[in-house]
Amino acid sequence: MTVAVYPGSFDPVTNGHLDIAGRAAKLFDRLILAVFETPPKAVLFSVQERLDMLRLACAPLHNVQVEAFSGLIIDYCRRERAQVIVRGLRMTSDFEREFEMALMNKSLAPEIEVVCLMARTEYQFLSSSLVKEVASLGGSIDNLVPPHVASALQAKLPRLKEIQSGQKGG
Ligand code: ADP
C-alpha cells in the first residue's frame, strides 16, 4: 500500500490545492493532507479552521485524510509510514524552493520520494496569499476557492486587514 503526504499551510485551501489533492488521490492508495500547524509565515486561519475547511472540501475523496502536523515533514511521514511527499508546482514561483526542499528532505530521509504534480494552466497564478489579497480588496474569489472558504474569508476580513496593515507598517 502506498501512502502519500501532501503538506502545506493551506491558509486557506484553494481550488489549486484541491486539484493537486484530487489527482494525487488517484495515484496513491492513501493520501494524507498534512496541515502545517505553525508555518514560518503569518497565518490568517487557526490550525483548527484550516483543518475544518480542508475536511469539508475533501469529503468526496474517500481515500483522503486531513491531519495537522508540526516539526519536520519527514518525521511525520515516517510516523505515518508514508513513502511519498506530494507537492504542487506552479510554473514560475515554486521550482527553486521546491527543488531545495526536496534535496534537503532526500538527504535527511533517502527512503522518501518527493512527487511534484504540475499545476493546471488555470491555477498557475493561484495562491492562498493572492486569494486573501483579492478578498481584502473586495474582489470576487468565487472561482478560486470552494464556497465555504469564500464565506470564511468574508468573515475574517477585519482580521485580514489588521494583519495587512501590520505588515505594511513593518
Ligand atoms: P506552503 O506554505 O508549504 O507553501 P501552501 O499551502 O502555500 O503551503 O502550498 C502547499 C503546496 O501546494 C505547495 O507544494 C504549493 O506549491 C502547492 N500549491 C499551492 N497553490 C497551488 C496551485 N494553485 N496549484 C498547484 N499547486 C499549488
PDB file of all heavy atoms in Angstrom, residues 6-12 14-17 19-20 23 36 39-41 86-90 94 98 101 117-120 122-128, ligand 1:
ATOM      1  N   TYR A   6       0.577  15.078   1.522  1.00  0.00           N
ATOM      2  CA  TYR A   6       0.616  16.356   0.813  1.00  0.00           C
ATOM      3  C   TYR A   6       0.609  17.460   1.879  1.00  0.00           C
ATOM      4  O   TYR A   6      -0.428  17.779   2.448  1.00  0.00           O
ATOM      5  CB  TYR A   6      -0.604  16.442  -0.112  1.00  0.00           C
ATOM      6  CG  TYR A   6      -0.777  17.757  -0.864  1.00  0.00           C
ATOM      7  CD1 TYR A   6       0.281  18.608  -1.140  1.00  0.00           C
ATOM      8  CD2 TYR A   6      -2.032  18.138  -1.323  1.00  0.00           C
ATOM      9  CE1 TYR A   6       0.105  19.797  -1.836  1.00  0.00           C
ATOM     10  CE2 TYR A   6      -2.220  19.328  -2.031  1.00  0.00           C
ATOM     11  CZ  TYR A   6      -1.142  20.149  -2.267  1.00  0.00           C
ATOM     12  OH  TYR A   6      -1.327  21.330  -2.953  1.00  0.00           O
ATOM     13  N   PRO A   7       1.798  18.019   2.175  1.00  0.00           N
ATOM     14  CA  PRO A   7       1.867  19.010   3.248  1.00  0.00           C
ATOM     15  C   PRO A   7       1.693  20.437   2.737  1.00  0.00           C
ATOM     16  O   PRO A   7       2.022  20.743   1.584  1.00  0.00           O
ATOM     17  CB  PRO A   7       3.301  18.831   3.776  1.00  0.00           C
ATOM     18  CG  PRO A   7       4.087  18.387   2.587  1.00  0.00           C
ATOM     19  CD  PRO A   7       3.130  17.700   1.634  1.00  0.00           C
ATOM     20  N   GLY A   8       1.207  21.308   3.596  1.00  0.00           N
ATOM     21  CA  GLY A   8       1.097  22.718   3.222  1.00  0.00           C
ATOM     22  C   GLY A   8       0.518  23.529   4.357  1.00  0.00           C
ATOM     23  O   GLY A   8       0.075  22.982   5.373  1.00  0.00           O
ATOM     24  N   SER A   9       0.521  24.852   4.161  1.00  0.00           N
ATOM     25  CA  SER A   9      -0.082  25.730   5.161  1.00  0.00           C
ATOM     26  C   SER A   9      -1.597  25.785   4.972  1.00  0.00           C
ATOM     27  O   SER A   9      -2.339  25.935   5.932  1.00  0.00           O
ATOM     28  CB  SER A   9       0.480  27.150   5.026  1.00  0.00           C
ATOM     29  OG  SER A   9       1.866  27.128   4.957  1.00  0.00           O
ATOM     30  N   PHE A  10      -2.045  25.736   3.720  1.00  0.00           N
ATOM     31  CA  PHE A  10      -3.476  25.751   3.376  1.00  0.00           C
ATOM     32  C   PHE A  10      -4.202  26.883   4.111  1.00  0.00           C
ATOM     33  O   PHE A  10      -5.187  26.652   4.823  1.00  0.00           O
ATOM     34  CB  PHE A  10      -4.122  24.387   3.680  1.00  0.00           C
ATOM     35  CG  PHE A  10      -3.457  23.235   2.986  1.00  0.00           C
ATOM     36  CD1 PHE A  10      -2.678  22.319   3.682  1.00  0.00           C
ATOM     37  CD2 PHE A  10      -3.590  23.060   1.609  1.00  0.00           C
ATOM     38  CE1 PHE A  10      -2.055  21.250   3.033  1.00  0.00           C
ATOM     39  CE2 PHE A  10      -2.964  21.988   0.949  1.00  0.00           C
ATOM     40  CZ  PHE A  10      -2.201  21.092   1.671  1.00  0.00           C
ATOM     41  N   ASP A  11      -3.702  28.110   3.914  1.00  0.00           N
ATOM     42  CA  ASP A  11      -4.231  29.268   4.666  1.00  0.00           C
ATOM     43  C   ASP A  11      -4.867  30.287   3.725  1.00  0.00           C
ATOM     44  O   ASP A  11      -4.297  31.371   3.570  1.00  0.00           O
ATOM     45  CB  ASP A  11      -3.094  29.901   5.471  1.00  0.00           C
ATOM     46  CG  ASP A  11      -3.574  31.042   6.351  1.00  0.00           C
ATOM     47  OD1 ASP A  11      -4.575  30.845   7.064  1.00  0.00           O
ATOM     48  OD2 ASP A  11      -2.972  32.130   6.319  1.00  0.00           O
ATOM     49  N   PRO A  12      -6.008  30.035   3.134  1.00  0.00           N
ATOM     50  CA  PRO A  12      -6.835  28.838   3.221  1.00  0.00           C
ATOM     51  C   PRO A  12      -6.606  27.944   1.984  1.00  0.00           C
ATOM     52  O   PRO A  12      -5.871  28.319   1.068  1.00  0.00           O
ATOM     53  CB  PRO A  12      -8.250  29.428   3.156  1.00  0.00           C
ATOM     54  CG  PRO A  12      -8.090  30.572   2.183  1.00  0.00           C
ATOM     55  CD  PRO A  12      -6.702  31.115   2.414  1.00  0.00           C
ATOM     56  N   THR A  14      -7.212  26.393  -1.530  1.00  0.00           N
ATOM     57  CA  THR A  14      -7.729  26.961  -2.791  1.00  0.00           C
ATOM     58  C   THR A  14      -8.087  25.826  -3.753  1.00  0.00           C
ATOM     59  O   THR A  14      -7.739  24.660  -3.513  1.00  0.00           O
ATOM     60  CB  THR A  14      -6.664  27.832  -3.484  1.00  0.00           C
ATOM     61  OG1 THR A  14      -5.611  26.962  -3.960  1.00  0.00           O
ATOM     62  CG2 THR A  14      -6.068  28.879  -2.558  1.00  0.00           C
ATOM     63  N   ASN A  15      -8.704  26.196  -4.872  1.00  0.00           N
ATOM     64  CA  ASN A  15      -9.023  25.181  -5.886  1.00  0.00           C
ATOM     65  C   ASN A  15      -7.747  24.571  -6.478  1.00  0.00           C
ATOM     66  O   ASN A  15      -7.767  23.439  -6.958  1.00  0.00           O
ATOM     67  CB  ASN A  15      -9.869  25.806  -6.994  1.00  0.00           C
ATOM     68  CG  ASN A  15     -11.268  26.131  -6.513  1.00  0.00           C
ATOM     69  OD1 ASN A  15     -11.692  25.617  -5.472  1.00  0.00           O
ATOM     70  ND2 ASN A  15     -11.980  26.979  -7.233  1.00  0.00           N
ATOM     71  N   GLY A  16      -6.647  25.318  -6.437  1.00  0.00           N
ATOM     72  CA  GLY A  16      -5.360  24.781  -6.918  1.00  0.00           C
ATOM     73  C   GLY A  16      -4.893  23.644  -6.030  1.00  0.00           C
ATOM     74  O   GLY A  16      -4.486  22.576  -6.527  1.00  0.00           O
ATOM     75  N   HIS A  17      -4.962  23.826  -4.708  1.00  0.00           N
ATOM     76  CA  HIS A  17      -4.614  22.734  -3.788  1.00  0.00           C
ATOM     77  C   HIS A  17      -5.526  21.525  -4.023  1.00  0.00           C
ATOM     78  O   HIS A  17      -5.080  20.388  -4.012  1.00  0.00           O
ATOM     79  CB  HIS A  17      -4.828  23.164  -2.326  1.00  0.00           C
ATOM     80  CG  HIS A  17      -3.922  24.256  -1.824  1.00  0.00           C
ATOM     81  ND1 HIS A  17      -4.407  25.395  -1.235  1.00  0.00           N
ATOM     82  CD2 HIS A  17      -2.566  24.360  -1.789  1.00  0.00           C
ATOM     83  CE1 HIS A  17      -3.389  26.161  -0.846  1.00  0.00           C
ATOM     84  NE2 HIS A  17      -2.262  25.570  -1.185  1.00  0.00           N
ATOM     85  N   ASP A  19      -7.147  20.615  -6.647  1.00  0.00           N
ATOM     86  CA  ASP A  19      -6.856  19.916  -7.895  1.00  0.00           C
ATOM     87  C   ASP A  19      -5.690  18.938  -7.689  1.00  0.00           C
ATOM     88  O   ASP A  19      -5.756  17.780  -8.108  1.00  0.00           O
ATOM     89  CB  ASP A  19      -6.528  20.937  -8.994  1.00  0.00           C
ATOM     90  CG  ASP A  19      -6.188  20.243 -10.292  1.00  0.00           C
ATOM     91  OD1 ASP A  19      -7.049  19.477 -10.789  1.00  0.00           O
ATOM     92  OD2 ASP A  19      -5.062  20.418 -10.797  1.00  0.00           O
ATOM     93  N   ILE A  20      -4.644  19.418  -7.000  1.00  0.00           N
ATOM     94  CA  ILE A  20      -3.492  18.534  -6.724  1.00  0.00           C
ATOM     95  C   ILE A  20      -3.939  17.357  -5.840  1.00  0.00           C
ATOM     96  O   ILE A  20      -3.594  16.207  -6.097  1.00  0.00           O
ATOM     97  CB  ILE A  20      -2.347  19.328  -6.020  1.00  0.00           C
ATOM     98  CG1 ILE A  20      -1.834  20.459  -6.918  1.00  0.00           C
ATOM     99  CG2 ILE A  20      -1.204  18.395  -5.594  1.00  0.00           C
ATOM    100  CD1 ILE A  20      -1.098  20.051  -8.159  1.00  0.00           C
ATOM    101  N   ARG A  23      -5.932  14.775  -7.839  1.00  0.00           N
ATOM    102  CA  ARG A  23      -5.079  13.998  -8.758  1.00  0.00           C
ATOM    103  C   ARG A  23      -4.180  13.034  -7.987  1.00  0.00           C
ATOM    104  O   ARG A  23      -3.993  11.885  -8.388  1.00  0.00           O
ATOM    105  CB  ARG A  23      -4.266  14.957  -9.622  1.00  0.00           C
ATOM    106  CG  ARG A  23      -5.131  15.650 -10.679  1.00  0.00           C
ATOM    107  CD  ARG A  23      -4.518  16.944 -11.178  1.00  0.00           C
ATOM    108  NE  ARG A  23      -3.199  16.745 -11.750  1.00  0.00           N
ATOM    109  CZ  ARG A  23      -2.318  17.751 -11.973  1.00  0.00           C
ATOM    110  NH1 ARG A  23      -2.634  18.991 -11.681  1.00  0.00           N
ATOM    111  NH2 ARG A  23      -1.154  17.493 -12.511  1.00  0.00           N
ATOM    112  N   PHE A  36       0.299  22.242   8.152  1.00  0.00           N
ATOM    113  CA  PHE A  36       1.416  22.745   8.953  1.00  0.00           C
ATOM    114  C   PHE A  36       0.852  23.646  10.061  1.00  0.00           C
ATOM    115  O   PHE A  36       0.278  24.691   9.774  1.00  0.00           O
ATOM    116  CB  PHE A  36       2.355  23.528   8.033  1.00  0.00           C
ATOM    117  CG  PHE A  36       3.745  23.732   8.554  1.00  0.00           C
ATOM    118  CD1 PHE A  36       4.690  24.406   7.783  1.00  0.00           C
ATOM    119  CD2 PHE A  36       4.133  23.253   9.794  1.00  0.00           C
ATOM    120  CE1 PHE A  36       5.984  24.604   8.250  1.00  0.00           C
ATOM    121  CE2 PHE A  36       5.425  23.437  10.256  1.00  0.00           C
ATOM    122  CZ  PHE A  36       6.348  24.124   9.481  1.00  0.00           C
ATOM    123  N   PRO A  39       3.398  27.448  10.420  1.00  0.00           N
ATOM    124  CA  PRO A  39       4.342  27.754   9.339  1.00  0.00           C
ATOM    125  C   PRO A  39       5.126  29.030   9.645  1.00  0.00           C
ATOM    126  O   PRO A  39       4.680  29.847  10.456  1.00  0.00           O
ATOM    127  CB  PRO A  39       3.442  27.946   8.114  1.00  0.00           C
ATOM    128  CG  PRO A  39       2.079  28.134   8.631  1.00  0.00           C
ATOM    129  CD  PRO A  39       2.005  27.578  10.010  1.00  0.00           C
ATOM    130  N   PRO A  40       6.288  29.195   8.973  1.00  0.00           N
ATOM    131  CA  PRO A  40       7.127  30.364   9.278  1.00  0.00           C
ATOM    132  C   PRO A  40       6.503  31.695   8.850  1.00  0.00           C
ATOM    133  O   PRO A  40       7.021  32.744   9.173  1.00  0.00           O
ATOM    134  CB  PRO A  40       8.418  30.089   8.496  1.00  0.00           C
ATOM    135  CG  PRO A  40       8.088  29.010   7.534  1.00  0.00           C
ATOM    136  CD  PRO A  40       6.897  28.279   8.030  1.00  0.00           C
ATOM    137  N   LYS A  41       5.383  31.652   8.104  1.00  0.00           N
ATOM    138  CA  LYS A  41       4.731  32.906   7.721  1.00  0.00           C
ATOM    139  C   LYS A  41       3.491  33.140   8.595  1.00  0.00           C
ATOM    140  O   LYS A  41       2.939  32.194   9.159  1.00  0.00           O
ATOM    141  CB  LYS A  41       4.346  32.861   6.234  1.00  0.00           C
ATOM    142  CG  LYS A  41       3.659  31.575   5.819  1.00  0.00           C
ATOM    143  CD  LYS A  41       3.602  31.408   4.315  1.00  0.00           C
ATOM    144  CE  LYS A  41       3.039  30.047   3.932  1.00  0.00           C
ATOM    145  NZ  LYS A  41       3.138  29.724   2.529  1.00  0.00           N
ATOM    146  N   VAL A  86       3.922  14.654  -1.599  1.00  0.00           N
ATOM    147  CA  VAL A  86       3.362  15.268  -2.818  1.00  0.00           C
ATOM    148  C   VAL A  86       3.464  16.786  -2.685  1.00  0.00           C
ATOM    149  O   VAL A  86       3.173  17.343  -1.621  1.00  0.00           O
ATOM    150  CB  VAL A  86       1.871  14.882  -2.984  1.00  0.00           C
ATOM    151  CG1 VAL A  86       1.216  15.673  -4.114  1.00  0.00           C
ATOM    152  CG2 VAL A  86       1.742  13.385  -3.237  1.00  0.00           C
ATOM    153  N   ARG A  87       3.866  17.452  -3.764  1.00  0.00           N
ATOM    154  CA  ARG A  87       3.852  18.912  -3.798  1.00  0.00           C
ATOM    155  C   ARG A  87       3.280  19.357  -5.143  1.00  0.00           C
ATOM    156  O   ARG A  87       3.341  18.620  -6.127  1.00  0.00           O
ATOM    157  CB  ARG A  87       5.271  19.477  -3.633  1.00  0.00           C
ATOM    158  CG  ARG A  87       5.922  19.140  -2.319  1.00  0.00           C
ATOM    159  CD  ARG A  87       5.333  19.866  -1.140  1.00  0.00           C
ATOM    160  NE  ARG A  87       5.780  21.264  -1.086  1.00  0.00           N
ATOM    161  CZ  ARG A  87       5.337  22.142  -0.205  1.00  0.00           C
ATOM    162  NH1 ARG A  87       4.437  21.797   0.687  1.00  0.00           N
ATOM    163  NH2 ARG A  87       5.777  23.380  -0.209  1.00  0.00           N
ATOM    164  N   GLY A  88       2.733  20.566  -5.162  1.00  0.00           N
ATOM    165  CA  GLY A  88       2.228  21.127  -6.420  1.00  0.00           C
ATOM    166  C   GLY A  88       3.247  22.118  -6.948  1.00  0.00           C
ATOM    167  O   GLY A  88       3.864  22.844  -6.173  1.00  0.00           O
ATOM    168  N   LEU A  89       3.445  22.121  -8.253  1.00  0.00           N
ATOM    169  CA  LEU A  89       4.438  23.028  -8.854  1.00  0.00           C
ATOM    170  C   LEU A  89       3.783  24.000  -9.804  1.00  0.00           C
ATOM    171  O   LEU A  89       3.198  23.591 -10.816  1.00  0.00           O
ATOM    172  CB  LEU A  89       5.439  22.222  -9.663  1.00  0.00           C
ATOM    173  CG  LEU A  89       6.782  21.832  -9.088  1.00  0.00           C
ATOM    174  CD1 LEU A  89       7.696  21.360 -10.201  1.00  0.00           C
ATOM    175  CD2 LEU A  89       7.435  22.950  -8.308  1.00  0.00           C
ATOM    176  N   ARG A  90       3.873  25.291  -9.479  1.00  0.00           N
ATOM    177  CA  ARG A  90       3.439  26.303 -10.443  1.00  0.00           C
ATOM    178  C   ARG A  90       4.662  26.734 -11.241  1.00  0.00           C
ATOM    179  O   ARG A  90       5.784  26.661 -10.751  1.00  0.00           O
ATOM    180  CB  ARG A  90       2.800  27.485  -9.705  1.00  0.00           C
ATOM    181  CG  ARG A  90       1.416  27.145  -9.161  1.00  0.00           C
ATOM    182  CD  ARG A  90       1.014  28.027  -8.037  1.00  0.00           C
ATOM    183  NE  ARG A  90       1.897  27.825  -6.895  1.00  0.00           N
ATOM    184  CZ  ARG A  90       1.743  28.395  -5.711  1.00  0.00           C
ATOM    185  NH1 ARG A  90       0.747  29.217  -5.513  1.00  0.00           N
ATOM    186  NH2 ARG A  90       2.585  28.153  -4.719  1.00  0.00           N
ATOM    187  N   ASP A  94       7.425  28.323  -7.944  1.00  0.00           N
ATOM    188  CA  ASP A  94       7.712  27.259  -6.979  1.00  0.00           C
ATOM    189  C   ASP A  94       9.013  26.493  -7.167  1.00  0.00           C
ATOM    190  O   ASP A  94       9.518  25.916  -6.223  1.00  0.00           O
ATOM    191  CB  ASP A  94       6.581  26.203  -7.013  1.00  0.00           C
ATOM    192  CG  ASP A  94       5.277  26.763  -6.494  1.00  0.00           C
ATOM    193  OD1 ASP A  94       5.321  27.605  -5.590  1.00  0.00           O
ATOM    194  OD2 ASP A  94       4.226  26.349  -7.006  1.00  0.00           O
ATOM    195  N   GLU A  98      10.967  24.438  -4.149  1.00  0.00           N
ATOM    196  CA  GLU A  98      10.587  23.019  -4.037  1.00  0.00           C
ATOM    197  C   GLU A  98      11.803  22.115  -4.254  1.00  0.00           C
ATOM    198  O   GLU A  98      11.953  21.087  -3.593  1.00  0.00           O
ATOM    199  CB  GLU A  98       9.494  22.672  -5.064  1.00  0.00           C
ATOM    200  CG  GLU A  98       8.155  23.338  -4.784  1.00  0.00           C
ATOM    201  CD  GLU A  98       7.490  22.880  -3.471  1.00  0.00           C
ATOM    202  OE1 GLU A  98       7.769  21.771  -2.983  1.00  0.00           O
ATOM    203  OE2 GLU A  98       6.686  23.669  -2.932  1.00  0.00           O
ATOM    204  N   MET A 101      13.926  22.168  -1.128  1.00  0.00           N
ATOM    205  CA  MET A 101      13.329  21.381  -0.038  1.00  0.00           C
ATOM    206  C   MET A 101      13.409  19.888  -0.338  1.00  0.00           C
ATOM    207  O   MET A 101      13.669  19.077   0.548  1.00  0.00           O
ATOM    208  CB  MET A 101      11.866  21.781   0.171  1.00  0.00           C
ATOM    209  CG  MET A 101      11.727  23.081   0.921  1.00  0.00           C
ATOM    210  SD  MET A 101      10.076  23.327   1.588  1.00  0.00           S
ATOM    211  CE  MET A 101       9.105  23.353   0.120  1.00  0.00           C
ATOM    212  N   LEU A 117       3.434  17.438  -8.761  1.00  0.00           N
ATOM    213  CA  LEU A 117       2.436  17.459  -9.832  1.00  0.00           C
ATOM    214  C   LEU A 117       2.349  18.885 -10.360  1.00  0.00           C
ATOM    215  O   LEU A 117       2.312  19.853  -9.576  1.00  0.00           O
ATOM    216  CB  LEU A 117       1.068  17.012  -9.299  1.00  0.00           C
ATOM    217  CG  LEU A 117       1.003  15.592  -8.743  1.00  0.00           C
ATOM    218  CD1 LEU A 117      -0.413  15.273  -8.270  1.00  0.00           C
ATOM    219  CD2 LEU A 117       1.442  14.566  -9.772  1.00  0.00           C
ATOM    220  N   MET A 118       2.336  19.021 -11.669  1.00  0.00           N
ATOM    221  CA  MET A 118       2.294  20.357 -12.280  1.00  0.00           C
ATOM    222  C   MET A 118       0.904  20.967 -12.097  1.00  0.00           C
ATOM    223  O   MET A 118      -0.106  20.301 -12.364  1.00  0.00           O
ATOM    224  CB  MET A 118       2.576  20.289 -13.786  1.00  0.00           C
ATOM    225  CG  MET A 118       3.855  19.569 -14.143  1.00  0.00           C
ATOM    226  SD  MET A 118       5.268  20.341 -13.350  1.00  0.00           S
ATOM    227  CE  MET A 118       6.406  18.973 -13.358  1.00  0.00           C
ATOM    228  N   ALA A 119       0.880  22.221 -11.685  1.00  0.00           N
ATOM    229  CA  ALA A 119      -0.405  22.918 -11.542  1.00  0.00           C
ATOM    230  C   ALA A 119      -1.071  23.038 -12.915  1.00  0.00           C
ATOM    231  O   ALA A 119      -0.392  23.197 -13.936  1.00  0.00           O
ATOM    232  CB  ALA A 119      -0.172  24.305 -10.962  1.00  0.00           C
ATOM    233  N   ARG A 120      -2.388  22.942 -12.944  1.00  0.00           N
ATOM    234  CA  ARG A 120      -3.124  23.136 -14.196  1.00  0.00           C
ATOM    235  C   ARG A 120      -2.989  24.584 -14.633  1.00  0.00           C
ATOM    236  O   ARG A 120      -2.817  25.480 -13.810  1.00  0.00           O
ATOM    237  CB  ARG A 120      -4.607  22.855 -13.952  1.00  0.00           C
ATOM    238  CG  ARG A 120      -4.943  21.386 -13.931  1.00  0.00           C
ATOM    239  CD  ARG A 120      -6.248  21.212 -13.253  1.00  0.00           C
ATOM    240  NE  ARG A 120      -7.320  21.821 -14.035  1.00  0.00           N
ATOM    241  CZ  ARG A 120      -8.469  21.224 -14.311  1.00  0.00           C
ATOM    242  NH1 ARG A 120      -8.684  20.001 -13.862  1.00  0.00           N
ATOM    243  NH2 ARG A 120      -9.396  21.824 -14.991  1.00  0.00           N
ATOM    244  N   GLU A 122      -5.023  26.874 -15.477  1.00  0.00           N
ATOM    245  CA  GLU A 122      -5.881  27.900 -14.863  1.00  0.00           C
ATOM    246  C   GLU A 122      -5.529  28.196 -13.409  1.00  0.00           C
ATOM    247  O   GLU A 122      -6.023  29.160 -12.844  1.00  0.00           O
ATOM    248  CB  GLU A 122      -7.361  27.540 -15.003  1.00  0.00           C
ATOM    249  CG  GLU A 122      -7.780  26.225 -14.375  1.00  0.00           C
ATOM    250  CD  GLU A 122      -7.736  25.056 -15.348  1.00  0.00           C
ATOM    251  OE1 GLU A 122      -6.732  24.900 -16.075  1.00  0.00           O
ATOM    252  OE2 GLU A 122      -8.713  24.280 -15.364  1.00  0.00           O
ATOM    253  N   TYR A 123      -4.693  27.320 -12.798  1.00  0.00           N
ATOM    254  CA  TYR A 123      -4.331  27.556 -11.397  1.00  0.00           C
ATOM    255  C   TYR A 123      -2.873  27.989 -11.221  1.00  0.00           C
ATOM    256  O   TYR A 123      -2.381  28.078 -10.101  1.00  0.00           O
ATOM    257  CB  TYR A 123      -4.596  26.296 -10.562  1.00  0.00           C
ATOM    258  CG  TYR A 123      -6.041  25.871 -10.562  1.00  0.00           C
ATOM    259  CD1 TYR A 123      -6.395  24.524 -10.596  1.00  0.00           C
ATOM    260  CD2 TYR A 123      -7.065  26.812 -10.523  1.00  0.00           C
ATOM    261  CE1 TYR A 123      -7.720  24.124 -10.595  1.00  0.00           C
ATOM    262  CE2 TYR A 123      -8.395  26.422 -10.526  1.00  0.00           C
ATOM    263  CZ  TYR A 123      -8.716  25.074 -10.564  1.00  0.00           C
ATOM    264  OH  TYR A 123     -10.035  24.693 -10.564  1.00  0.00           O
ATOM    265  N   GLN A 124      -2.192  28.245 -12.345  1.00  0.00           N
ATOM    266  CA  GLN A 124      -0.760  28.597 -12.274  1.00  0.00           C
ATOM    267  C   GLN A 124      -0.502  29.818 -11.392  1.00  0.00           C
ATOM    268  O   GLN A 124       0.520  29.916 -10.751  1.00  0.00           O
ATOM    269  CB  GLN A 124      -0.224  28.886 -13.683  1.00  0.00           C
ATOM    270  CG  GLN A 124      -0.019  27.662 -14.529  1.00  0.00           C
ATOM    271  CD  GLN A 124       1.125  26.775 -14.062  1.00  0.00           C
ATOM    272  OE1 GLN A 124       2.014  27.210 -13.350  1.00  0.00           O
ATOM    273  NE2 GLN A 124       1.085  25.518 -14.439  1.00  0.00           N
ATOM    274  N   PHE A 125      -1.421  30.759 -11.412  1.00  0.00           N
ATOM    275  CA  PHE A 125      -1.173  32.002 -10.676  1.00  0.00           C
ATOM    276  C   PHE A 125      -2.057  32.110  -9.425  1.00  0.00           C
ATOM    277  O   PHE A 125      -2.227  33.188  -8.877  1.00  0.00           O
ATOM    278  CB  PHE A 125      -1.350  33.214 -11.597  1.00  0.00           C
ATOM    279  CG  PHE A 125      -0.355  33.186 -12.717  1.00  0.00           C
ATOM    280  CD1 PHE A 125      -0.707  32.741 -13.985  1.00  0.00           C
ATOM    281  CD2 PHE A 125       0.966  33.560 -12.483  1.00  0.00           C
ATOM    282  CE1 PHE A 125       0.235  32.669 -15.002  1.00  0.00           C
ATOM    283  CE2 PHE A 125       1.914  33.491 -13.500  1.00  0.00           C
ATOM    284  CZ  PHE A 125       1.549  33.048 -14.763  1.00  0.00           C
ATOM    285  N   LEU A 126      -2.585  30.972  -9.011  1.00  0.00           N
ATOM    286  CA  LEU A 126      -3.474  30.968  -7.847  1.00  0.00           C
ATOM    287  C   LEU A 126      -2.689  30.584  -6.589  1.00  0.00           C
ATOM    288  O   LEU A 126      -2.009  29.560  -6.565  1.00  0.00           O
ATOM    289  CB  LEU A 126      -4.602  29.958  -8.103  1.00  0.00           C
ATOM    290  CG  LEU A 126      -5.615  29.732  -6.980  1.00  0.00           C
ATOM    291  CD1 LEU A 126      -6.232  31.038  -6.527  1.00  0.00           C
ATOM    292  CD2 LEU A 126      -6.695  28.766  -7.463  1.00  0.00           C
ATOM    293  N   SER A 127      -2.751  31.436  -5.588  1.00  0.00           N
ATOM    294  CA  SER A 127      -2.094  31.127  -4.303  1.00  0.00           C
ATOM    295  C   SER A 127      -2.998  31.605  -3.170  1.00  0.00           C
ATOM    296  O   SER A 127      -3.844  32.486  -3.373  1.00  0.00           O
ATOM    297  CB  SER A 127      -0.741  31.834  -4.204  1.00  0.00           C
ATOM    298  OG  SER A 127      -0.940  33.226  -4.181  1.00  0.00           O
ATOM    299  N   SER A 128      -2.794  31.055  -1.986  1.00  0.00           N
ATOM    300  CA  SER A 128      -3.590  31.482  -0.826  1.00  0.00           C
ATOM    301  C   SER A 128      -3.387  32.970  -0.576  1.00  0.00           C
ATOM    302  O   SER A 128      -4.335  33.689  -0.252  1.00  0.00           O
ATOM    303  CB  SER A 128      -3.173  30.697   0.426  1.00  0.00           C
ATOM    304  OG  SER A 128      -3.388  29.326   0.230  1.00  0.00           O
TER     305      SER A 128
HETATM  306  P1  ADP B   1       3.464  26.026   1.819  1.00  0.00           P
HETATM  307  O1  ADP B   1       3.416  27.010   2.942  1.00  0.00           O
HETATM  308  O2  ADP B   1       4.036  24.692   2.175  1.00  0.00           O
HETATM  309  O3  ADP B   1       3.979  26.553   0.510  1.00  0.00           O
HETATM  310  P2  ADP B   1       0.878  26.136   0.584  1.00  0.00           P
HETATM  311  O4  ADP B   1      -0.437  25.869   1.224  1.00  0.00           O
HETATM  312  O5  ADP B   1       1.125  27.528   0.106  1.00  0.00           O
HETATM  313  O6  ADP B   1       1.925  25.683   1.633  1.00  0.00           O
HETATM  314  O7  ADP B   1       1.106  25.121  -0.598  1.00  0.00           O
HETATM  315  C1  ADP B   1       1.133  23.727  -0.396  1.00  0.00           C
HETATM  316  C2  ADP B   1       1.561  23.052  -1.681  1.00  0.00           C
HETATM  317  O8  ADP B   1       0.575  23.279  -2.692  1.00  0.00           O
HETATM  318  C3  ADP B   1       2.887  23.559  -2.276  1.00  0.00           C
HETATM  319  O9  ADP B   1       3.539  22.474  -2.893  1.00  0.00           O
HETATM  320  C4  ADP B   1       2.435  24.559  -3.307  1.00  0.00           C
HETATM  321  O10 ADP B   1       3.399  24.720  -4.314  1.00  0.00           O
HETATM  322  C5  ADP B   1       1.174  23.876  -3.829  1.00  0.00           C
HETATM  323  N1  ADP B   1       0.244  24.812  -4.429  1.00  0.00           N
HETATM  324  C6  ADP B   1      -0.186  25.996  -3.930  1.00  0.00           C
HETATM  325  N2  ADP B   1      -1.047  26.603  -4.780  1.00  0.00           N
HETATM  326  C7  ADP B   1      -1.145  25.786  -5.869  1.00  0.00           C
HETATM  327  C8  ADP B   1      -1.848  25.866  -7.118  1.00  0.00           C
HETATM  328  N3  ADP B   1      -2.569  26.932  -7.443  1.00  0.00           N
HETATM  329  N4  ADP B   1      -1.734  24.839  -7.976  1.00  0.00           N
HETATM  330  C9  ADP B   1      -0.945  23.783  -7.670  1.00  0.00           C
HETATM  331  N5  ADP B   1      -0.249  23.640  -6.523  1.00  0.00           N
HETATM  332  C10 ADP B   1      -0.331  24.631  -5.631  1.00  0.00           C
END
